[in-house]
Amino acid sequence: MLTALLAMAGLALFLGLVLGFAAIKFKVEESPLVQKIDAILPQTQCGQCGFPGCKPYATAIAAGEADINQCPPGGEEGIRKLAELLGVEPKPLNAEHGVTKPKSVAVIDEDICIGCTLCIQACPVDAILGAAKHMHTVIESECTGCELCVAPCPVDCISMAPLTEDISTWKWKYPVYSIKRT
Amino acid sequence: MENYLLILISTVFVNNIVLVRILGLCPFMGVSKRLEASIGMAAATAFVLTLGSGASFLVDKYLLGPDLIYLRTLSFIVVIAAIVQFTEMVLHKVFPLLYQVLGIYLPLITTNCAVLGIPLLIVQEQHDLVEALLIGLGGALGFSMVLIIFAGMRERLEGADIPPPFRGTAIAMITAGLMSIAFMGFAGLVK
């Protein structure tokens, strides 16, 4: 009885020590920084920062190739969080990349739409539904409000409608950027 | 030397772990849908089975001895799990490429019944360390061979015109059964 207990306890202790030692000795250095930065960015994939999406921007920030103040949708709160994460001073949003706007969604005036599909091709998150020569519409829950579809429209039928905060659109502030202008 | 060769042939063909001993059926049926996945699984199993056989043989011989036989199953599980964890860490650090190939399959195979069954059979049959390692390796080779052959067949079966009631798992089971019958032909090859 006692031998059995001692044997198993000894075995477990030995293996535990070996594993604990190996966990320290063979620790693999990964770069979780990109993921952490990417988690702070608002995932609008709007490209206003000058990079093709949020992940490339995060990679550029992690590599020190981009500044932290190039993300208008993230707003001041996003910059503050990035500064906190990277241990640098927060700075005001770089105006050449755009200004922070309240969260809004694109709305297509369906009477004017000619079904040219140009906005579908511009949408980075596939939130616009429609076919050639048929009226298009925006899937409101998918739209990130990046405004990339506004410029290509030849008949200017797309407008941005601010989202009012109601029971269905409200969500916890952290870790998403603030919905209202701060 | 001849003895070792016979052990290998015996474990790979005559006492094939899957088709004759009917151990390790879950990865055999579960991971044999795609050839690449089955190759990863086969490599991981070969790794774990060989190491696990040797280590549990040592534990049985020097720690448990004849008095604590009833602790075999328990201690083998612990030892094999720890060894897999350890090799996973070392692999991740030293051979990242191999680690990527084995990937998820390495921890997955840890507590597989074949991986536990082979060491238990080894200690029951009272082999020495080299034989234990060889049996582990042979079992793993047999498992890998059967798994990869079976995966290849299942990939081809997907394109075959199978009667509707037999589609999917049913035809896989029948195929496995036929393979098992075929492997019975090896019986008597090694005494």
Side-chain angles (χ1 to χ4, degrees), chain A residues 108 110 113 115-117 119-120 128-132 134-138:
Chain A
I108 294 178
E110 289 159 2
C113 176
C116 65
T117 74
C119 56
I120 296 182
I128 301 180
L129 209 62
H134 288 80
M135 173 263 282
H136 302 339
T137 194
V138 176

Side-chain angles (χ1 to χ4, degrees), chain A residues 17-172:
Chain A
L17 282 177
V18 169
L19 283 184
F21 175 73
I24 299 166
K25 175 89 182 168
F26 298 105
K27 191 168 183 159
V28 176
E29 314 291 336
E30 284 176 68
S31 156
L33 190 59
V34 175
Q35 274 88 353
K36 278 189 188 163
I37 296 174
D38 196 42
I40 292 176
L41 296 176
Q43 305 304 325
T44 50
Q45 318 296 348
C46 62
Q48 291 181 69
C49 50
F51 294 91
C54 293
K55 189 84 183 228
Y57 180 43
T59 316
I61 294 180
E65 291 160 6
D67 217 340
I68 58 169
N69 60 352
Q70 301 181 5
C71 181
E76 241 157 75
E77 204 186 334
I79 294 176
R80 190 178 52 74
K81 278 193 197 132
L82 283 177
E84 212 169 279
L85 175 70
L86 300 169
V88 293
E89 284 294 308
K91 44 181 103 175
L93 190 67
N94 190 340
E96 69 184 64
H97 293 286
V99 289
T100 313
K101 294 182 188 133
K103 184 170 168 54
S104 48
V105 292
V107 177
I108 294 178
D109 190 335
E110 289 159 2
D111 296 332
I112 310 177
C113 176
I114 54 170
C116 65
T117 74
L118 285 178
C119 56
I120 296 182
Q121 292 157 30
C123 182
V125 291
D126 285 343
I128 301 180
L129 209 62
K133 296 191 180 165
H134 288 80
M135 173 263 282
H136 302 339
T137 194
V138 176
I139 308 169
E140 202 172 300
S141 57
E142 298 291 318
C143 178
T144 60
C146 67
E147 303 186 6
L148 289 181
C149 52
V150 176
C153 183
V155 289
D156 287 334
C157 70
I158 304 180
S159 57
M160 300 303 293
L163 260 191
T164 46
E165 195 176 35
D166 64 15
I167 200 87
S168 61
T169 55
W170 182 87
K171 47 178 142 178
W172 289 102

Side-chain angles (χ1 to χ4, degrees), chain B residues 23-101:
Chain B
L23 285 171
L25 283 183
C26 14
F28 180 63
M29 297 307 289
V31 200
S32 55
K33 281 195 185 127
R34 292 264 81 86
L35 198 56
E36 299 94 62
S38 75
I39 290 172
M41 189 61 165
T45 314
F47 210 77
V48 173
L49 207 46
T50 315
L51 279 176
S53 301
S56 32
F57 175 83
L58 290 178
V59 165
D60 184 71
K61 180 152 188 175
Y62 295 108
L63 185 72
L64 299 182
D67 300 333
L68 298 174
I69 289 177
Y70 57 95
L71 284 179
R72 270 178 182 167
T73 311
L74 188 61
S75 53
F76 285 6
I77 291 178
V78 174
V79 167
I80 294 170
I83 284 188
V84 172
Q85 283 288 316
F86 182 75
T87 40
E88 199 190 354
M89 286 182 215
V90 176
L91 274 186
H92 199 168
K93 176 84 176 178
V94 187
F95 307 106
L97 202 67
L98 188 60
Y99 178 79
Q100 272 182 358
V101 174

